[in-house]
Amino acid sequence: MQAENDSAADPRREAILAAAAELFFSHGFAATSIDAIIERSGGSKRTIYALFGSKQGLCEALIRENSERIFGSERLDDPTLSLEESLLRFARELLRLFLRPDTAGMYRLVVAEALRVPALAESYMRIGPGRARAWLAGRLERARDELGEIDATRAANQFLGLVRSDVYYETVLGLRDPLSEAEVDTMAADAVRVFLHGVRRG
Amino acid sequence: MQAENDSAADPRREAILAAAAELFFSHGFAATSIDAIIERSGGSKRTIYALFGSKQGLCEALIRENSERIFGSERLDDPTLSLEESLLRFARELLRLFLRPDTAGMYRLVVAEALRVPALAESYMRIGPGRARAWLAGRLERARDELGEIDATRAANQFLGLVRSDVYYETVLGLRDPLSEAEVDTMAADAVRVFLHGVRRG
DNA sequence: CTCCTATGGTAATGTGCATTACCAAGTCAA
DNA sequence: TTGACTTGGTAATGCACATTACCATAGGAG
């Protein structure tokens, strides 16, 4: 009936979410005031409470919709590619994605609120990283002839860890500058190489 | 002169830090009040302000000293072991450590405060995970005859990611129950196997 | 004993901020 | 045009809590 695209359906809503994203992601939940959000988005507090119910509700909506927006862009389906090429593209995409400031910012936010609002962490995982992992596990499953009898889920977990390595850790803690494209390529290639050799021989 | 052990030197100080740890780690910085800490530790607010200056100061001291306590227990030096056995023990130790609730709780705290107080993330990394990584890089460096000409730092990063895999991610988000000892062993063994085969052939 | 500093207990103090209330426009349908 | 409804703007309201002040007491030094 009315669902539409969910984006740009209501410009006021979008403006508020955009302002909230900027502030929540860079300052955290507690340190961001409703007034600061309004000051940046225009409009009135009344609107925020009409649309989201509370500050917490706004935060939840933000995380839910931004997970969609950030992680929804993965275009992973390409059945013609070799396993190696497939993993390579996936790794590069993943690194670029994870190292974007808004992705890291959202992760910080989810981590900080994880214990207070468990459902939020769950939906973040389901909409975001979990989707990538599910795709990866499926792709590895389909490569049994090349990889032998492996536990696809466990292998997917390992691959994700290998790609993130310690770099994501440092990025989240704000200890590292963004990677250059060349570094992304090198890291992705290294991860794929170690993974494929390691798993094939394992 | 007076330094002593730094622990039990001042029972009042220790009591406050212990209570603060419990509350900060499980509820986060903002959601923990000074009154709640005092209620749990006994004593008076005056003492907190005398010892730590402010709530922020208490939090910083907590993270600094707990990094020491949590990560300081690694006993990694054992020059008689083979590379594989060495990595295996390291991986197991790391998994057990990372999956302890207090370790995950402290990570959440550091992540949440990372942008507000960058020095805190830096010292956490230096005292904690960075130390393990440095040891690992050194160990890999000493295994050049077995591994060939590798970039030890990059390999260490990969190994750490491989060990943590996605499990740490989920633990931090509160989406996973603690691992059993058997699971720890299996995961450690898998990680080492993939890593060694992958790097040797790389 | 006596002063002095530190401590526990408790009561201010002040502030920041989420949430609500109110009012003056605007908007849209009939 | 009118009237129900929504929105912007701004000013309450109320609360939670960090920080400080005050007081009574206890132990340590002289």
Side-chain angles (χ1 to χ4, degrees), chain A residues 31-51:
Chain A
T32 299
S33 72
I34 297 279
D35 290 286
I37 295 174
I38 279 303
E39 190 177 347
R40 189 168 296 239
S41 74
S44 154
K45 278 188 271 191
R46 193 177 190 86
T47 311
I48 285 189
Y49 285 92
L51 290 175

Side-chain angles (χ1 to χ4, degrees), chain B residues 138-149:
Chain B
R139 184 65 185 85
L140 294 176
E141 192 77 41
R142 272 184 287 124
R144 276 187 180 280
D145 48 348
E146 204 168 338
L147 297 176
E149 281 296 321

Side-chain angles (χ1 to χ4, degrees), chain A residues 61-77:
Chain A
L62 174 65
I63 288 175
R64 241 180 291 275
E65 300 188 17
N66 259 66
S67 299
E68 197 69 63
R69 187 178 63 74
I70 291 181
F71 290 99
S73 68
E74 299 156 13
R75 42 190 184 297
L76 302 171
D77 318 296

Side-chain angles (χ1 to χ4, degrees), chain A residues 127-139:
Chain A
I127 298 174
R131 185 193 293 174
R133 185 172 53 180
W135 175 87
L136 177 60
R139 184 67 186 83

Side-chain angles (χ1 to χ4, degrees), chain B residues 42-198:
Chain B
S44 153
K45 279 188 270 189
R46 194 176 193 82
T47 310
I48 285 189
Y49 285 92
L51 289 176
F52 303 102
S54 68
K55 186 186 183 186
Q56 177 109 201
L58 169 60
C59 184
E60 291 183 27
L62 174 65
I63 288 175
R64 239 180 292 276
E65 300 187 17
N66 259 66
S67 299
E68 197 68 64
R69 185 177 65 72
I70 291 180
F71 290 100
S73 69
E74 300 156 12
R75 42 190 184 298
L76 301 171
D77 318 296
D78 207 328
T80 72
L81 297 176
S82 71
L83 176 62
E84 179 171 2
E85 183 61 24
S86 208
L87 292 182
L88 213 46
R89 293 189 183 200
F90 178 63
R92 279 198 290 258
E93 189 103 12
L94 211 63
L95 278 174
R96 289 201 205 93
L97 179 60
F98 272 136
L99 302 178
R100 275 167 49 180
D102 52 350
T103 313
M106 190 159 69
Y107 175 72
R108 284 191 204 98
L109 194 55
V110 174
V111 166
E113 300 301 303
L115 293 189
R116 189 186 331 291
V117 196
L120 199 142
E122 190 277 327
S123 82
Y124 164 80
M125 180 55 93
R126 182 165 37 75
I127 298 173
R131 185 193 293 174
R133 186 172 51 179
W135 175 85
L136 177 59
R139 184 65 185 85
L140 294 176
E141 192 77 41
R142 272 184 287 124
R144 276 187 180 280
D145 48 348
E146 204 168 338
L147 297 176
E149 281 296 321
I150 63 167
D151 179 335
T153 302
R154 171 159 299 173
N157 277 344
Q158 290 180 323
F159 184 77
L160 290 172
L162 200 46
V163 170
R164 283 200 295 265
S165 69
D166 241 30
V167 173
Y168 187 53
Y169 208 87
E170 292 181 347
T171 301
V172 163
L173 292 176
L175 299 174
R176 173 182 274 277
D177 292 333
L179 294 179
S180 70
E181 274 300 302
E183 287 173 308
V184 166
D185 285 355
T186 313
M187 287 193 53
D190 274 1
V192 170
R193 188 164 37 73
V194 169
F195 177 76
L196 282 181
H197 284 126

